[in-house]
Structures are given as structure tokens and as C-alpha cells.
Amino acid sequence: MPRNEENARDEHFWQAIAQRYDVAPGPVNLENGYFGRMTRTVAHDYQRTIDFINRSNSVHVRQVFDETQSIEIRNQLAELLGVEHTSIALTNCASDALQSVIRNYNGLQPGDQLLISDLEYHSVEYAMRWVAQQRGLEIIEIAHKHPATYESLVASYREAFEHYPRIKLMALTHVTHRTGLVMPVQAIAEAAKAHGVDVVLDGAHALGQIDFDLQALGVPFAGFNLHKWIGSPLTLGFMYIDPQRLADIDPDMGSKRYPEPDIRTRSPYGTANIPAWLTLPKVLQEHRELGGSKAKGDRLRYLRELWVSEARQLPGIEVLTPEDPRLNCAITSMRFTHVDDQQPMVERLLKDYNLFTVARNGSACGSCIRITVGFATTPEDIQQLVRALRELSQDSL
Ligand SMILES: Cc1ncc(COP(=O)(O)O)c(C=O)c1O
């Protein structure tokens, strides 16, 4: 198991990890931000749990899963995050968790303000706008300065709190899907608290690659998934509500499935992907074997540095994600400065270099190409990317 940051460059160790994944022939996947691969072991376990639940059906689910296994699973998630089990409810994804918290937050009066930034994920932005429209609230949207610094990010929130004293609830994305920028959550949450603003934290891209202490972050509400950086099958997510704040979130759609003081009433009603949940012990075992979020995050940042350090030297390329190690992770965005629309360059990366990436729009800093390394990414893949960036940037000169 890696014990320190030096192990991030231990190719022998990480090659053995890369071998745990089945990878289809085809383009080199540098778009590991959509969702993560399961290892072969987890995929086999998932197949086993699908067969098992298919055979045992509701007899097992009603008698065992609903009664005990789902509770054990929730306890494991609470342990992973170092929080009380009463603060966790299972959902099908991060969006379900975040949208439920946002639509059921009951501390809003007409005329109050909700704060979002240009870096929020769509499902969160839509929910905030929808709540504002339904309840006669005002949306305040800030655009972060580019290039961002730790201080500029905190300052933009402080300024917003000072200018708009009626902000009651804000969305905060720990790791933005647009550029991979990592927000200084703790400092922003402290400033929010000082102004009486509640934070709902979108942790979808943070869990499993950022080593954080949820309680120390100081946010009352959060949503996560396990299918990005933890390595679970798709369709696993959960919400966190500080138990002291449970009364501020109403049961979702009037749910009476459990008694009201049970956080599980806050998660959207519906049948879960039970076979996927049953793989969680195996998934978390592997997460720990890899060294947990710290070692995983160090490896991903090391791979990211391999290309970013080269790309920063190339005229005609702008790397949008800051160099400050507190603000970056596996996901990093760049752009070819000679074109406004980056989509044709994404297509060239694929057609001419066999590299799969994705264009992203919507952040105030403009259209970009998102490049996301993963656990099956090799230094050779990165060399191929660097060669492509060098040649394509030459093209434009
Ligand atoms: C920043 C961010 N938040 C939320 C989500 C939504 O996650 P889920 O697919 O689990 O709903 C995503 C998905 O890509 C994301 O990138």
C-alpha cells in the first residue's frame, strides 16, 4: 500500500492496480470524470449480487436487505466519512441527494436570496433556480475570477455575502466538473456561517480523490456519489445532513416511509439498485487497499502534473486549472487559444491521436477541453497526450 506521496510515482505498484481494470480496445480514455471503472473484482462481485438478488428476490430484500444490510451499508458510509450514521441516507446518485436537500430546505421566505456560481453542476443549478421560481426568491449568481486563486475564491463569496444580506442558502461544488477546480470549502463555509448562510455541498467529484474531513469542512448539507472516484457500480449515492439540522429539511414529497426524525425520509422514494449496494463492502475494501482518498488523489495529481507541466510551456495552450496544489485534482481543463470553440480540437485529439476527451462550456472562463486521468491511465498515455498537444498547438502558430 502506498504510504506517502512518493508512492504516487511508484509505477510498479500502480501498474498492478491498472491491471485490475478491464479496458476495451479503442481510444485512450482521458475522460474518467463521467464515472469511474469498477475493478474486475468488483464487476464480478456485482454479477454475483445481481444473480443472488434475482434468485432470492423480495424474500431476501424484505427480510435481510431492508432490515439489516441497508443499515450496515449506511454505517460503512458513515465510517468512511467519520460522521454519525444518523446523518447519512442512501440515494441513487449525487443529484438525487442534492436536489432533495435543496427542494426540501424549509428556511426560506419570499424575498430571500439563493447563491450559485458559474461552476455549479446542472442538476444543482436547475434545482436552485426552480426553488427560487416556485417560492418567489432571488437567485444571485457569481462568476469566479480567472485565473482563480485560493484567496480570490474565498473573497468572491465574502463579497457576495456582504452585498446580498438576504442570501440564506448557497450551493458549493467541492470539485467543479467544468475545470476540476477544487474549492477552498472550509474557508468558504466559515465565511458563510458567519453570515448566517447555509451551504449545500456538492461532493460528487471530491469523494475518493480528495482527502477531506467532512465535519471539519463545516457544511450542514452535502450530496455524494460512489460511482466516480470510489469505484462502485453506477447508481450509488448518498446525502449527508448534520443531525442538528435535520429539522431544516422536510421529508421528500411528504414521505412517511420512516418516522419523521429519520433522515431516510429525506431521500427520494423508490427502489434502490440493491445488487449494486451489496457490492459496497468489496468496493470499500479495494478503496482502502489503494490507500484511500489520499493515495488515490496523490496518484491522480501526479499523472495530471505529467501533462500539465508540459502543456503550460506550450505557446497556444492555456491551462485553466490553477497550479496551487490545494486547488487541483485529476480533472484539469485547457484550451487552444487560437480557437473559440474547442469541440473541433476534441475531435482532432480523437481522430488524429486516438485520445478521448470532452469539451466543456458554461464557466465564466470560457469553453475548454476537460482532461481527466484515471487509475488505468499510464505515463505512456500521458506522453501521447503531450505529443498531441505539442503538435496541435504548433498547428495554430
Ligand atoms: C460536480 C458534479 N456534481 C454532481 C454530479 C452528479 O452526479 P450524479 O451523476 O451522481 O448525480 C456530477 C456528475 O458528473 C458532477 O460532476
Side-chain angles (χ1 to χ4, degrees):
M1 184 199 291
R3 287 202 176 74
N4 57 44
E5 284 177 30
E6 281 311 300
N7 289 297
R9 54 186 76 214
D10 179 348
E11 289 311 326
H12 183 69
F13 176 83
W14 290 102
Q15 257 177 37
I17 299 299
Q19 297 302 320
R20 294 185 181 186
Y21 297 90
D22 282 330
V23 179
V28 173
N29 189 350
L30 293 173
E31 199 332 49
N32 291 282
Y34 192 168
F35 58 95
R37 280 197 177 85
M38 296 177 263
T39 62
R40 204 175 298 112
T41 316
V42 170
H44 284 163
D45 199 46
Y46 190 24
Q47 193 58 58
R48 177 188 68 78
T49 59
I50 289 172
D51 293 344
F52 170 68
I53 292 297
N54 195 42
R55 281 198 307 273
S56 57
N57 195 261
S58 56
V59 177
H60 177 86
V61 172
R62 288 206 186 281
Q63 291 183 337
V64 185
F65 182 82
D66 289 351
E67 294 296 320
T68 54
Q69 279 176 326
S70 59
I71 312 279
E72 284 160 18
I73 284 165
R74 185 173 79 155
N75 293 349
Q76 289 188 21
L77 292 174
E79 197 183 323
L80 179 73
L81 285 161
V83 296
E84 290 175 40
H85 66 273
T86 51
S87 61
I88 302 286
L90 311 185
T91 62
N92 289 332
C93 57
S95 300
D96 276 4
L98 293 160
Q99 291 193 329
S100 176
V101 166
I102 292 166
R103 69 175 166 260
N104 296 308
Y105 179 78
N106 57 27
L108 299 165
Q109 305 298 327
D112 282 346
Q113 296 165 324
L114 303 180
L115 178 65
I116 57 174
S117 83
D118 60 314
L119 297 179
E120 259 61 80
Y121 189 69
H122 304 285
S123 59
V124 171
E125 181 193 339
Y126 297 156
M128 293 289 270
R129 289 191 190 282
W130 181 84
V131 166
Q133 198 187 24
Q134 295 291 311
R135 303 203 200 153
L137 313 170
E138 189 188 353
I139 283 280
I140 307 298
E141 179 171 3
I142 56 170
H144 288 291
K145 290 200 179 74
H146 177 70
T149 62
Y150 188 97
E151 290 72 25
S152 77
L153 293 165
V154 181
S156 50
Y157 284 100
R158 279 191 202 287
E159 279 160 27
F161 301 145
E162 276 153 25
H163 275 84
Y164 303 104
R166 297 212 62 178
I167 296 174
K168 290 285 170 348
L169 181 69
M170 63 173 276
L172 183 60
T173 307
H174 200 157
V175 174
T176 172
H177 70 296
R178 298 213 163 97
T179 63
L181 180 74
V182 180
M183 281 285 170
V185 173
Q186 192 168 344
I188 295 166
E190 253 174 51
K193 201 168 184 181
H195 287 83
V197 176
D198 279 329
V199 176
V200 51
L201 179 69
D202 175 349
H205 261 303
L207 188 68
Q209 68 155 329
I210 306 283
D211 190 29
F212 62 88
D213 171 345
L214 183 57
Q215 277 183 330
L217 292 183
V219 297
F221 314 116
F224 300 95
N225 64 36
L226 297 152
H227 49 232
K228 286 193 190 291
W229 298 103
I230 292 285
S232 81
L234 283 166
T235 72
L236 301 189
F238 63 100
M239 70 170 68
Y240 164 80
I241 302 178
D242 175 346
Q244 315 286 331
R245 302 299 308 279
L246 188 63
D248 296 274
I249 309 293
D250 288 333
D252 191 42
M253 309 301 288
S255 173
K256 298 200 184 314
R257 191 172 188 177
Y258 302 96
E260 185 166 329
D262 187 324
I263 185 177
R264 288 176 293 176
T265 52
R266 275 66 173 179
S267 84
Y269 202 108
T271 306
N273 185 345
I274 293 157
W277 280 114
L278 290 179
T279 67
L280 196 70
K282 181 71 72 193
V283 168
L284 292 181
Q285 181 193 331
E286 292 207 333
H287 174 69
R288 284 190 293 268
E289 276 169 20
L290 260 64
S293 302
K294 169 82 175 80
K296 286 163 75 172
D298 285 347
R299 169 63 176 176
L300 295 168
R301 264 198 315 278
Y302 167 70
L303 289 170
R304 172 230 184 242
E305 266 321 298
L306 288 182
W307 76 264
V308 170
S309 55
E310 300 277 344
R312 282 196 197 282
Q313 312 305 321
L314 298 173
I317 286 190
E318 182 189 6
V319 176
L320 304 184
T321 320
E323 252 174 295
D324 183 337
R326 295 171 297 179
L327 304 183
N328 62 48
C329 63
I331 309 169
T332 287
S333 291
M334 48 75 55
R335 70 169 147 246
F336 293 94
T337 51
H338 67 291
V339 284
D340 286 336
D341 182 7
Q342 300 296 315
Q343 184 58 36
M345 302 309 282
V346 164
E347 281 154 26
R348 285 202 63 191
L349 282 168
L350 183 60
K351 194 164 68 64
D352 300 345
Y353 298 94
N354 204 30
L355 296 169
F356 187 70
T357 58
V358 67
R360 280 279 161 264
N361 297 311
S363 51
C365 59
S367 167
C368 54
I369 299 175
R370 181 175 89 170
I371 296 174
T372 310
V373 295
F375 300 112
T377 305
T378 63
E380 293 70 39
D381 297 338
I382 303 286
Q383 277 167 19
Q384 198 172 328
L385 171 66
V386 169
R387 183 172 70 85
L389 296 180
R390 187 169 292 130
E391 290 179 8
L392 289 173
S393 66
Q394 291 285 320
D395 260 18
S396 62
L397 295 177

